[in-house]
Amino acid sequence: MENVKSLNSLSYLKVITQTENVNIEFEDLVEEKVIWYFGKKISSLVYYAKTVLNKEDDKPVCPKCGHSMHKHGYTNPIKVKYTSDNASRPTFILLRKARYACDFCHRTMQMEASKLIDKFKSISLRAKHYILSLLTTEFSMTEIARQATTSVSYVLNVLVNSIDPYNLSKYDNLPKHICIDEVRVINRVCNFICCDAVKGTIIGVLPSNDGKSIIEFFQKFPLKVRQTVETITMDLNISYPNIMRRLFHHAALIADRFHLVKMLHSALDEKRIEVYKRYKKSNIEYKVLKFYYKIFHKFEDDLDSEHLKQWYRLGSTPYTELELLDIGLNCDEELRIIYDLVQEVRGALTEYNYLKMITMLQEYTVRKSNLIIQRREWSTKNGKKNTYNFNDYYPKELQENPVDYKFSTFMRKSNYDLVINAFKEEYKDFTNGKIEGINNVVKHLKSNAYGFKLFDNFYRRVLLKINS
């Protein structure tokens, strides 16, 4: 053990504890020694302090009888864990609390250091705030306990007492614009997430995305509060539109534009993969369709049609981007039709031309009606059962292309208004971008924390991470 009397060290401690005006008096003794802490030997820096009365305070008065009290020694030292700026060497304060006895009834009391440590606790408020700051990160509980030189149970205790995820006072208002989505977090179950579409603050996280749980959650908000909601942005989940119409009578439902474009491009890629598998790997059509797929996802007007350049997988012959597009689309007529449909939908979405989208859906309805008539004739001619649900049941010439199959999702009675609203300019500022960012944070939090046993603890970590 090494005793070091250093006023510089004492001044440093007063600065980091910020206790110059608090009822704590530090001694000029600093010890660097090995102590036992949570069953482990830790080499740490130990300071000695005691509680005193502030100069402006009078003598304490007995809380029981109201008579004056006199000083009656000190308590045994309390080992207070303190978070210093030097994380490589833990810091402890051996704090002795002054005791006072009543002159009349002999009742005793302790002088607490309320700005340094909570009553009946052994970890300083600064260490507690440091743990809270670490809980807003993506570290696991074990890693937070290691960095704060404390136990996992205390970190969990700080988390539980930090925030109440089911505080009823939050059911007093709702933002005007909200967005909803789901994410798989615990036990491969989809968790429902709802947030403010403008600020990105979380409104609620539910352990399940079934309709009963969603209805019970939003019915906690009064009807007048729910009537203030103006827009709700969502993906094309089959159950969400009917639930939201039941709960929010005056809100406009909007389909997220990102999901609409993603569905169309997935249909285009489905057909593109089917086409390039017909060719040998040495053919130029195979290489263009497989390796230069990003050309098919761009706007046709943005493709370069003037500058020739060599492509890594196509040998020494130079091509423009537009020439590569023509090589790919010439492989299959249906692929060209699908590409043109995707380009038309993206163009209408960029121009916010909902009338053009309505026209395209009406044209799809005509194509669908003609296809149903042809399928019925084919079934009657071949003596087979007529069914409309299975696309692969019919020969290839009577099958819907992938984009028309996505259009059938758009034409559902529950989805039609959502899709049309996504193409209106008045709703162009509302997307699911905020909630998709939250989903990304949630997945990283779950991955780095190695999962959560209790949903409530996961919910608290999410709220601390997002809403802080």
Side-chain angles (χ1 to χ4, degrees):
M1 181 178 65
E2 180 182 356
N3 293 340
V4 181
K5 290 187 177 182
S6 173
L7 292 177
N8 294 331
S9 299
L10 178 61
S11 301
Y12 168 74
L13 178 68
K14 287 186 176 182
V15 171
I16 63 173
T17 54
Q18 300 175 355
T19 55
E20 292 85 347
N21 299 321
V22 187
N23 58 335
I24 300 174
E25 183 179 287
F26 288 93
E27 301 178 5
D28 293 341
L29 179 63
V30 182
E31 291 186 354
E32 187 173 359
K33 62 180 182 179
V34 177
I35 64 172
W36 283 91
Y37 189 70
F38 284 107
K40 296 180 181 180
K41 288 184 177 181
I42 300 176
S43 177
S44 58
L45 197 63
V46 179
Y47 294 88
Y48 293 86
K50 58 184 178 181
T51 58
V52 294
L53 283 175
N54 288 332
K55 294 180 180 180
E56 60 271 12
D57 292 343
D58 297 330
K59 288 186 178 181
V61 178
C62 179
K64 184 177 181 180
C65 63
H67 286 76
S68 61
M69 305 182 76
H70 65 275
K71 197 170 183 179
H72 190 59
Y74 292 91
T75 62
N76 292 329
I78 301 173
K79 193 185 301 178
V80 179
K81 171 68 179 67
Y82 195 82
T83 302
S84 66
D85 293 342
N86 186 3
S88 63
R89 185 168 57 175
T91 302
F92 292 89
I93 301 174
L94 291 183
L95 180 66
R96 295 186 301 156
K97 296 181 180 180
R99 299 179 64 189
Y100 289 85
C102 179
D103 297 331
F104 181 77
C105 65
H106 306 291
R107 180 186 177 92
T108 60
M109 61 173 288
Q110 297 178 4
M111 184 60 61
E112 299 292 339
S114 58
K115 293 189 178 181
L116 175 67
I117 184 174
D118 289 331
K119 194 174 181 180
F120 307 123
K121 301 294 182 181
S122 62
I123 297 181
S124 65
L125 295 176
R126 179 184 170 103
K128 182 179 178 180
H129 295 158
Y130 178 62
I131 292 172
L132 274 174
S133 67
L134 292 177
L135 285 171
T136 61
T137 64
E138 299 173 354
F139 292 135
S140 64
M141 297 287 198
T142 306
E143 177 62 19
I144 293 173
R146 187 192 68 79
Q147 292 192 22
T149 324
T150 184
S151 64
V152 178
S153 59
Y154 183 77
V155 174
L156 183 60
N157 189 16
V158 172
L159 175 64
V160 171
N161 296 327
S162 63
I163 189 170
D164 182 10
Y166 304 105
N167 185 9
L168 295 179
S169 63
K170 70 177 181 178
Y171 298 125
D172 296 337
N173 54 28
L174 276 171
K176 292 183 179 180
H177 310 285
I178 65 177
C179 50
I180 60 176
D181 201 0
E182 67 280 337
V183 60
R184 286 184 176 89
V185 178
I186 298 177
N187 297 330
R188 299 181 180 180
V189 177
C190 284
N191 303 112
F192 176 82
I193 298 181
C194 177
C195 78
D196 189 336
V198 178
K199 298 181 179 179
T201 55
I202 293 179
I203 301 172
V205 179
L206 303 181
S208 175
N209 69 334
D210 62 282
K212 183 179 179 181
S213 301
I214 297 173
I215 292 173
E216 288 178 354
F217 172 73
F218 281 111
Q219 281 182 343
K220 295 178 182 178
F221 296 90
L223 179 61
K224 289 185 178 180
V225 174
R226 283 184 272 133
Q227 287 178 343
T228 60
V229 178
E230 297 179 1
T231 64
I232 303 175
T233 310
M234 67 189 78
D235 56 13
L236 295 182
N237 187 300
I238 192 171
S239 61
Y240 287 168
N242 294 330
I243 294 174
M244 293 300 115
R245 289 189 181 98
R246 174 179 173 182
L247 294 169
F248 303 93
H249 305 139
H250 303 302
L253 306 184
I254 307 169
D256 183 45
R257 286 179 283 276
F258 167 77
H259 286 89
L260 297 181
V261 175
K262 183 180 178 182
M263 290 174 65
L264 295 174
H265 280 300
S266 65
L268 177 62
D269 285 339
E270 180 183 340
K271 185 62 182 180
R272 178 181 58 82
I273 292 172
E274 176 193 336
V275 172
Y276 79 64
K277 286 184 177 180
R278 303 172 189 169
Y279 295 91
K280 294 182 179 180
K281 293 184 178 180
S282 58
N283 290 358
I284 186 174
E285 291 85 359
Y286 178 91
K287 295 177 181 178
V288 169
L289 289 171
K290 181 172 183 179
F291 298 112
Y292 302 107
Y293 60 91
K294 291 184 179 180
I295 292 177
F296 299 88
H297 291 179
K298 290 183 178 181
F299 278 108
E300 189 171 4
D301 296 337
D302 295 338
L303 296 177
D304 188 1
S305 60
E306 298 178 357
H307 300 90
L308 293 169
K309 65 176 184 178
Q310 291 185 347
W311 302 84
Y312 172 69
R313 299 181 183 274
L314 302 182
S316 58
T317 305
Y319 298 96
T320 63
E321 290 183 342
L322 198 59
E323 289 176 347
L324 291 185
L325 177 67
D326 291 335
I327 291 174
L329 297 182
N330 290 335
C331 297
D332 188 87
E333 186 62 29
E334 189 177 15
L335 179 62
R336 182 178 291 276
I337 294 173
I338 293 174
Y339 177 81
D340 292 338
L341 281 173
V342 173
Q343 291 293 314
E344 287 184 27
V345 174
R346 289 190 64 186
L349 194 58
T350 304
E351 300 168 359
Y352 298 104
N353 189 347
Y354 70 95
L355 296 176
K356 184 176 180 180
M357 186 61 190
I358 292 176
T359 303
M360 294 177 64
L361 292 177
Q362 290 174 349
E363 292 174 354
Y364 160 74
T365 305
V366 174
R367 292 198 303 271
K368 182 70 174 180
S369 301
N370 295 334
L371 185 63
I372 290 175
I373 294 173
Q374 294 175 10
R375 286 179 173 182
R376 187 181 295 121
E377 293 175 351
W378 178 84
S379 300
T380 304
K381 182 178 179 180
N382 293 276
K384 294 188 177 183
K385 183 179 178 181
N386 190 20
T387 178
Y388 307 109
N389 297 327
F390 301 101
N391 200 33
D392 297 335
Y393 178 77
Y394 297 97
K396 189 174 181 180
E397 59 272 11
L398 296 180
Q399 293 180 5
E400 278 189 306
N401 65 58
V403 170
D404 278 351
Y405 191 73
K406 301 297 181 184
F407 275 10
S408 65
T409 305
F410 299 165
M411 287 297 294
R412 284 181 192 158
K413 185 177 180 181
S414 59
N415 291 341
Y416 184 79
D417 293 339
L418 282 76
V419 175
I420 299 303
N421 286 338
F423 287 79
K424 292 183 178 180
E425 189 172 6
E426 57 187 296
Y427 301 127
K428 67 178 182 179
D429 296 329
F430 307 116
T431 66
N432 263 14
K434 297 287 186 181
I435 206 165
E436 293 297 338
I438 292 175
N439 286 351
N440 187 38
V441 171
V442 167
K443 290 177 182 178
H444 279 290
L445 179 63
K446 175 202 170 185
S447 176
N448 294 343
Y450 301 101
F452 290 85
K453 187 176 181 179
L454 297 178
F455 175 78
D456 287 354
N457 292 338
F458 159 73
Y459 190 8
R460 290 184 177 95
R461 289 292 300 271
V462 171
L463 290 176
L464 285 174
K465 176 71 176 176
I466 304 298
N467 289 0
S468 62

